[in-house]
Amino acid sequence: DAMVIQNPRYQVTQFGKPVTLSCSQTLNHNVMYWYQQKSSQAPKLLFHYYDKDFNNEADTPDNFQSRRPNTSFCFLDIRSPGLGDAAMYLCATSRDPPGPRNQETQYFGPGTRLLVL
Amino acid sequence: GDSVTQMEGPVTLSEEAFLTINCTYTATGYPSLFWYVQYPGEGLQLLLKATKADDKGSNKGFEATYRKETTSFHLEKGSVQVSDSAVYFCALSATSGFGKGTKLSVIP
């Protein structure tokens, strides 16, 4: 089945130690998104790629970076994790980029839960 | 900017009760509207969507009608089941964000 895969499902890191979360997709979608979701809150968009075009949300901290080496893979790098970065990180894809007239259904992976010690 | 306002929970219902979760939106133009569901420990998945005024999205017994005159997209189900227990999010496009989410618990 075509899907969005996130590994690992749980990631433990130490305060200040760089960590990378991975996402892959078999849907061949043009757009890949990274969201941060804290407990009992809505997902918060960090950034998205439309093909190779990177789009950062205005309030995403510089501590968060992303790479998309090809259509299938996208990585979230947290350069110096703090305790406040502990959260669920969700990857999603869509065929079309976000926009007022696009019908862009998003397809989500199961998420990676990050714990910062 | 574009945004959604969603009824917050938690909502607790008995099995076979009627469900309504309210969602209103603010947007320029004519956005598509979505309901996503998140089961415990999982990512979000699309429940239903509507792409233009008066469209009705439906799936798994859930329905929502795109009402331009009231700028609303309320989620309804006539008879909820225990397996419907989850968090429900109303949404516009990805960059407009999700509603705050409504946690639904259905008790036998």
Side-chain angles (χ1 to χ4, degrees):
Chain A
D1 287 341
M3 59 177 61
V4 181
I5 302 159
Q6 289 187 250
N7 285 310
R9 293 294 305 273
Y10 298 89
Q11 176 74 57
V12 181
T13 191
Q14 292 178 336
F15 182 94
K17 183 175 180 181
V19 65
T20 295
L21 307 183
S22 301
C23 177
S24 64
Q25 55 130 340
T26 60
L27 296 159
N28 204 33
H29 281 172
N30 295 315
V31 189
M32 295 186 78
Y33 309 81
W34 279 105
Y35 289 87
Q36 180 192 64
Q37 186 180 26
K38 295 190 175 180
S39 182
S40 301
Q41 296 184 20
K44 179 181 179 301
L45 183 64
L46 296 173
F47 24 60
H48 74 275
Y49 273 96
Y50 176 32
D51 289 334
K52 294 182 185 294
D53 185 21
F54 179 68
N55 298 270
N56 198 31
E57 293 300 298
D59 56 353
T60 297
D62 292 341
N63 197 27
F64 292 87
Q65 306 284 323
S66 185
R67 296 170 283 134
R68 189 180 186 187
N70 54 52
T71 301
S72 300
F73 286 86
C74 195
F75 301 99
L76 170 61
D77 299 310
I78 308 176
R79 293 192 299 185
S80 182
L83 298 179
D85 296 327
M88 174 78 88
Y89 289 88
L90 297 169
C91 175
T93 73
S94 67
R95 187 189 62 188
D96 297 320
R101 293 190 180 276
N102 287 339
Q103 304 168 13
E104 74 289 0
T105 298
Q106 293 182 77
Y107 297 81
F108 284 82
T112 294
R113 184 167 295 283
L114 179 68
L115 183 62
V116 182
L117 300 178
Chain B
D2 295 357
S3 65
V4 292
T5 300
Q6 179 179 346
M7 179 181 95
E8 294 186 42
V11 174
T12 302
L13 295 173
S14 297
E15 208 165 20
E16 299 184 3
F18 185 85
L19 169 71
T20 299
I21 302 176
N22 291 339
C23 174
T24 57
Y25 68 90
T26 302
T28 55
Y30 304 96
S32 295
L33 295 166
F34 304 83
W35 277 101
Y36 287 86
V37 59
Q38 185 174 32
Y39 298 101
E42 297 184 13
L44 282 70
Q45 56 185 275
L46 178 70
L47 180 59
L48 52 84
K49 72 177 187 182
T51 58
K52 60 183 187 294
D54 299 325
D55 261 5
K56 178 186 282 188
S58 61
N59 185 25
K60 299 181 181 179
F62 291 88
E63 293 182 340
T65 301
Y66 189 154
R67 302 277 188 207
K68 184 169 174 288
E69 63 276 13
T70 54
T71 61
S72 65
F73 192 54
H74 304 324
L75 182 68
E76 296 181 335
K77 187 173 185 181
S79 177
V80 294
Q81 305 301 312
V82 172
S83 57
D84 295 326
S85 298
V87 181
Y88 294 82
F89 293 95
C90 184
L92 293 170
S93 70
T95 51
S96 301
F98 292 84
K100 291 182 184 290
T102 302
K103 182 176 181 179
L104 170 67
S105 298
V106 180
I107 54 177

